[in-house]
Amino acid sequence: MSVALVIVSHSAQLADGVVELAAQMARNVELRAAGGTDDGRIGTSFDKVNDAVTELRAAGHDVAILTDLGSATMTVESVLDFLDEEELEHVKFSDGPLVEGAVAAAVTAQVGGDLDAVVAAGRARELFG
Amino acid sequence: MSDTLSVAWALAWIRGAQAVLAENRETLNDLDRAIGDGDHGENMDRGMKAVVGKLADGAEDVQGVLKVVASTLMSVVGGAAGPLYGTAFLRAAKATEGDVDADGAVAIVAGALEGIVARGKATTGEKTMVDSWSPALDAAKAVAESGGTAAEAFRAAAEAASKGSDDTIPLRASKGRASYLGERSMGHRDPGSLSTTLILKAAADAAEAA
Ligand SMILES: [Mg+2]
């Protein structure tokens, strides 16, 4: 089962840009941007995150989610709250710096890392101690 | 004034909260601009207008009203207030069965506080809405334990929340983006503590009119 990434940012442009950047080194990894609110403002959208997760799961992927700021993380955690125990084995939040984390996570997914490896890579701890 | 609060109270509460949050939109934006990204008033106004729209046809019971508030705020707000108030109302809904007596009022405030703490991982003294919800719960509990009504419990909660909000002014923020300001966050009221106060006041006002 391949691992896909959902990039959650307050800014739609930032989410798209991170996806663009991460895709460069991870051509076969499914990357989804979930940036901005439903009506195009700065912020995060429960529905955008939830829809991305639902679609990727339906396509058979495990899903790692990365965020830019604390309130994006709260949105992601709200989405995770609605998943059952079994789903939570397949959908995980990776708490790291967004750009470095997304690149590291995407590369790890590209080379066949499992969800836990991708989530660990996304934390980018070797960069920030 | 009736001792237990029904779905009519819950609808009046939420409509009243929407009106007062709309009135205070600029005040909340200004407070958030001082120590955050300046959108708290706009976000709450947009969120509560959507909630009131969804409740246009009423709801089955108090729990049903609280659930609509939760899911709508989570989807519509966009800022930190969305998941925070969304989780607060969701936990409040889960703690509610049937009409609301004084213990039910305590359960609603306790559920809300529990949700906010679970989501935001803040404790008191960090210049967040917890600084209003936490004393609000203590005050509501004291009323319920001394045999007061649900309306009295909400009034005490609102007054304690207001005092808690005042007490955030000198605090240094240690959660959220306001914490990046360090000492410069001191001297400003936390916007979430004010929206909390307004929401609890609306609950008390609606309860006294019920
Ligand atoms: Mg804000």
Side-chain angles (χ1 to χ4, degrees), chain A residues 8 10 43-44 67-77, chain B residues 37 78-81 83 176-177:
Chain A
V8 184
H10 282 65
T44 54
T67 60
D68 63 349
L69 289 168
S71 42
T73 300
M74 288 197 277
T75 296
V76 168
E77 288 172 348
Chain B
D37 51 2
R177 266 179 273 176

Side-chain angles (χ1 to χ4, degrees), chain B residues 9-57:
Chain B
W9 159 76
L11 290 166
W13 168 23
I14 298 309
R15 286 175 188 142
Q18 184 270 314
V20 74
L21 286 163
E23 265 166 44
N24 283 274
R25 178 192 157 111
E26 287 316 312
T27 305
L28 291 167
N29 278 343
D30 288 345
L31 290 172
D32 194 26
R33 201 166 292 121
I35 58 168
D37 51 2
D39 61 3
H40 190 55
E42 188 189 330
N43 282 340
M44 292 307 293
D45 187 28
R46 173 181 285 102
M48 291 304 287
K49 281 193 172 122
V51 167
V52 166
K54 288 231 166 119
L55 289 172
D57 297 328

Side-chain angles (χ1 to χ4, degrees), chain B residues 18-186:
Chain B
Q18 184 270 314
V20 74
L21 286 163
E23 265 166 44
N24 283 274
R25 178 192 157 111
E26 287 316 312
T27 305
L28 291 167
N29 278 343
D30 288 345
L31 290 172
D32 194 26
R33 201 166 292 121
I35 58 168
D37 51 2
D39 61 3
H40 190 55
E42 188 189 330
N43 282 340
M44 292 307 293
D45 187 28
R46 173 181 285 102
M48 291 304 287
K49 281 193 172 122
V51 167
V52 166
K54 288 231 166 119
L55 289 172
D57 297 328
E60 190 114 319
D61 49 19
V62 175
Q63 186 186 54
V65 172
L66 299 179
K67 277 186 179 168
V68 168
V69 177
S71 62
T72 308
L73 291 182
M74 248 180 219
S75 290
V76 175
V77 169
L84 286 169
Y85 278 121
T87 310
F89 277 93
L90 193 64
R91 300 281 177 99
K94 283 185 179 162
T96 301
E97 224 192 304
D99 287 352
V100 174
D101 58 10
D103 288 337
V106 171
I108 285 174
V109 177
L113 172 63
E114 182 200 301
I116 286 160
V117 167
R119 186 61 65 229
K121 299 172 183 78
T123 57
T124 50
E126 294 191 294
K127 202 181 184 87
T128 72
M129 56 174 74
V130 172
D131 292 318
S132 280
W133 283 104
S134 181
L137 176 58
D138 293 341
K141 265 186 190 161
V143 169
E145 278 162 15
S146 64
T149 64
E152 287 162 353
F154 278 119
R155 179 58 66 198
E159 281 168 4
S162 178
K163 168 78 168 59
S165 178
D166 292 346
D167 292 345
T168 67
I169 295 172
L171 293 175
R172 177 184 171 142
S174 58
K175 273 285 179 305
R177 266 179 273 176
S179 66
Y180 300 156
L181 291 168
E183 287 184 2
R184 293 198 183 196
S185 64
M186 294 159 74

